Amino acid sequence: MYRIVIADDHALLRQGIKSMISQESEMEVIGEAANGEELLQLIEEVEPDMIILDISMPKINGLEALELIHDKLPNVKILMLTMHKNSQYFFRAISSGAHGYLMKDETDTELPAAIKMVREG
């Protein structure tokens, strides 16, 4: 089973993502975080295979968290999920170790496909 943590400051969005992932038989959501600080504590406890990470979060934003996660768990896959279409965010995320970058306004079929693509490298 592929173990995923969702980090986004919007509970409704986290629940929607969790619902989409629950329909995939080989994936499970093992934790959720509403900010970067919660995320860093959570990943030490659950050691996920992948983190779906929002850029705009309180306390520690997704880009800052990404760099810290990459140091702590270098093998975890990171899929950035964001509303930011600015190429600076994209390039910073990828150069900081993100494995994928998905816009929040994509269709619901795009998320499972993106997870599978990142998982497979």
Side-chain angles (χ1 to χ4, degrees):
M1 190 66 74
Y2 199 65
R3 302 162 27 101
I4 300 172
V5 166
I6 303 166
D8 193 291
D9 57 327
H10 295 96
L12 187 59
L13 187 64
R14 288 195 313 271
Q15 291 306 312
I17 293 168
K18 187 175 182 176
S19 177
M20 281 187 271
I21 291 171
S22 71
Q23 296 175 22
E24 302 293 322
S25 61
E26 73 278 359
M27 300 176 202
E28 70 176 325
V29 174
I30 59 167
E32 300 176 38
N35 61 61
E37 195 173 271
E38 283 180 19
L39 174 63
L40 293 173
Q41 292 172 354
L42 176 63
I43 62 170
E44 288 185 17
E45 297 168 17
V46 299
E47 296 186 20
D49 298 309
M50 176 182 281
I51 300 168
I52 298 175
L53 180 58
D54 182 25
I55 288 179
S56 299
M57 293 190 302
K59 298 188 180 180
I60 300 173
N61 73 42
L63 292 172
E64 294 167 336
L66 172 61
E67 294 172 2
L68 297 169
I69 292 164
H70 198 61
D71 290 341
K72 288 183 180 206
L73 297 172
N75 295 326
V76 72
K77 302 283 187 180
I78 308 289
L79 174 59
M80 301 303 291
L81 185 64
T82 184
M83 63 182 181
H84 297 287
K85 293 184 179 182
N86 184 321
S87 62
Q88 289 178 331
Y89 286 105
F90 171 79
F91 289 117
R92 180 167 174 207
I94 298 301
S95 68
S96 295
H99 299 90
Y101 194 93
L102 186 66
M103 301 303 300
K104 286 184 178 179
D105 61 2
E106 296 290 338
T107 65
D108 60 349
T109 59
E110 295 295 320
L111 179 62
I115 292 170
K116 288 176 185 174
M117 287 177 68
V118 168
R119 179 181 182 180
E120 294 169 2

